[in-house]
Amino acid sequence: MKKIILLATGGTIASDRHGEHDSLQPAISADALVTFVPQVKTICESHAKDIMFLDSSNIQPEEWRVIGRAIYEALADYDGVVVTHGTDTLAYTASMVAFMLRGLTKPVVFTGAQLPISELMSDGRKNLESSFAAAASGTAGVYVLFDNKIINATRATKLRSMGFDAFASINAPACGSVDSRGILFTNPVVQTGHRQLCDNICPDVFLLKVIPGTNPLIFDRVIEMGYRGIVIEAFGVGGLHYAHRNLTGKVKLLCENNIAVVIISQCMYDSTDLNVYDVGAKLPDHVISGRDMTAEAAVTKLMWVLGQTADLKDITAMMQTPLCGEIS
């Protein structure tokens, strides 16, 4: 029987109501979470460990490294890992872990819930039980499992704040599903290289969603604040306005200041192509097309890449090279 460990970080699934406002706060331990899914003992030998008790809004780059290292260490002794995490930033954490953990030979499955596991209508019990089963499947890779969908971590985005069908796989088919037949992997993540932890990251990355009339001076602030990279959510396939307010000229200034600039689309689906329209073709040659990456994957990948190198040519090459299915 496979040995699977649950690493708990907090989030709604582990929350209870506290304080004068009766608001939700992480309080339920990893061991207690497992008691809500007793049928897991028929799937695997389960173990549990608390890493932290945090609302996912408080999980930031410092916590990503703690989570990544805890997973890496657990993989030496267990056949798979389940990570419970708050849904609000789960896609960021799962994406970063996918970049940190190279050459996986075992499954890592992130999950959570829209309601605390202790509540009657909670989706947490189903998600947690299915995640243990997915982790026991032996299918290597980092996944997000939610509402019967198994998604590549670097393709997952949270679309709903309350609905149980909270996550979608963007610009790629889901990796698998859960139904009456059990766990079905149809498009598993392709793994290459030997297993290692690469957790050097640079958190100095800014995400900007451009709107009509964006003030170009915002890019001066990015330079002044010492950011080393910026992901710009541009219009359509990668357009930025240069009439009235010239964003293109400021993007050139970013490049001249050795700041890595990645352009992705504001559109949820499809890819950027900076050569289609004049508003994209005028951008400097050093600008990196993020193609069809999600915002979560583009931001975390750029942080990770900047942790590996400061050379803009190498940064460009790494950003445009698929590492774990984040780019088509």
Side-chain angles (χ1 to χ4, degrees):
M1 185 173 279
K2 296 285 183 68
K3 289 175 58 180
I4 307 299
I5 186 168
L6 167 64
L7 301 178
T9 69
T12 296
I13 192 170
S15 288
D16 205 348
R17 298 190 181 277
H18 293 278
E20 59 179 312
H21 301 295
D22 197 33
S23 56
L24 290 172
Q25 299 177 35
I28 301 173
S29 70
D31 285 325
L33 284 174
V34 175
T35 65
F36 285 93
V37 285
Q39 58 272 39
V40 160
K41 64 186 178 183
T42 67
I43 300 171
C44 61
E45 178 186 325
S46 65
H47 300 257
K49 179 181 179 181
D50 293 301
I51 303 177
M52 56 192 71
F53 286 87
L54 289 176
D55 185 297
S56 70
S57 295
N58 279 322
I59 291 183
Q60 298 171 66
E62 294 84 355
E63 284 73 35
W64 292 339
R65 295 189 70 188
V66 172
I67 294 169
R69 181 158 294 278
I71 294 170
Y72 180 76
E73 291 174 352
L75 287 170
D77 300 315
Y78 295 91
D79 299 302
V81 177
V82 175
V83 183
T84 48
H85 192 288
T87 59
D88 289 343
T89 65
L90 186 152
Y92 285 98
T93 302
S95 287
M96 180 57 86
V97 166
F99 295 124
M100 285 181 175
L101 297 177
R102 314 308 311 138
L104 281 180
T105 58
K106 298 175 183 179
V108 176
V109 184
F110 281 80
T111 195
Q114 296 287 66
L115 280 174
I117 199 168
S118 58
E119 295 197 7
L120 178 63
M121 300 299 293
S122 177
D123 54 331
R125 292 183 289 279
K126 178 182 71 173
N127 287 343
L128 186 57
E129 179 184 355
S130 297
S131 294
F132 268 104
S137 72
T139 306
V142 183
Y143 302 97
V144 171
L145 192 154
F146 218 91
D147 196 45
N148 295 327
K149 292 195 295 289
I150 306 171
I151 304 169
N152 180 347
T154 60
R155 293 290 190 171
T157 290
K158 186 180 179 182
L159 297 183
R160 294 177 176 83
S161 61
M162 291 181 283
F164 288 159
D165 186 18
F167 287 85
S169 181
I170 306 300
N171 290 326
C175 294
S177 60
V178 186
D179 63 19
S180 60
R181 294 167 292 179
I183 301 294
L184 301 173
F185 276 95
T186 51
N187 298 287
V189 176
V190 176
Q191 299 293 309
T192 59
H194 63 282
R195 187 172 69 87
Q196 59 181 315
L197 174 69
C198 301
D199 64 348
N200 289 331
I201 62 174
C202 172
D204 300 324
V205 171
F206 188 69
L207 174 64
L208 174 67
K209 183 172 185 173
V210 173
I211 63 170
T214 292
N215 190 330
L217 292 176
I218 187 68
F219 295 116
D220 291 311
R221 304 290 88 79
V222 169
I223 295 170
E224 291 170 6
M225 293 178 69
Y227 281 101
R228 289 184 53 203
I230 181 171
V231 176
I232 300 175
E233 289 191 9
F235 304 121
V237 293
L240 296 177
H241 56 68
Y242 58 80
H244 303 305
R245 300 167 184 84
N246 187 0
L247 298 183
T248 302
K250 288 296 185 180
V251 170
K252 181 179 180 182
L253 184 62
L254 293 173
C255 295
E256 290 172 351
N257 278 270
N258 209 40
I259 295 173
V261 180
V262 178
I263 303 288
I264 62 172
S265 177
Q266 295 181 13
C267 301
M268 185 66 69
Y269 294 95
D270 299 327
S271 180
T272 58
D273 186 341
L274 304 183
N275 297 314
V276 173
Y277 295 102
D278 183 56
V279 288
K282 284 186 179 294
L283 289 168
D285 293 338
H286 295 304
V287 166
I288 303 164
S289 172
R291 294 161 57 182
D292 64 346
M293 277 191 284
T294 65
E296 295 92 336
V299 166
T300 53
K301 184 175 184 180
L302 185 55
M303 288 181 176
W304 182 81
V305 168
L306 288 171
Q308 316 308 308
T309 179
D311 184 278
L312 277 178
K313 288 185 179 180
D314 291 340
I315 292 167
T316 299
M318 293 175 74
M319 287 299 297
Q320 296 185 331
T321 301
L323 298 178
C324 41
E326 74 281 4
I327 306 173
S328 297

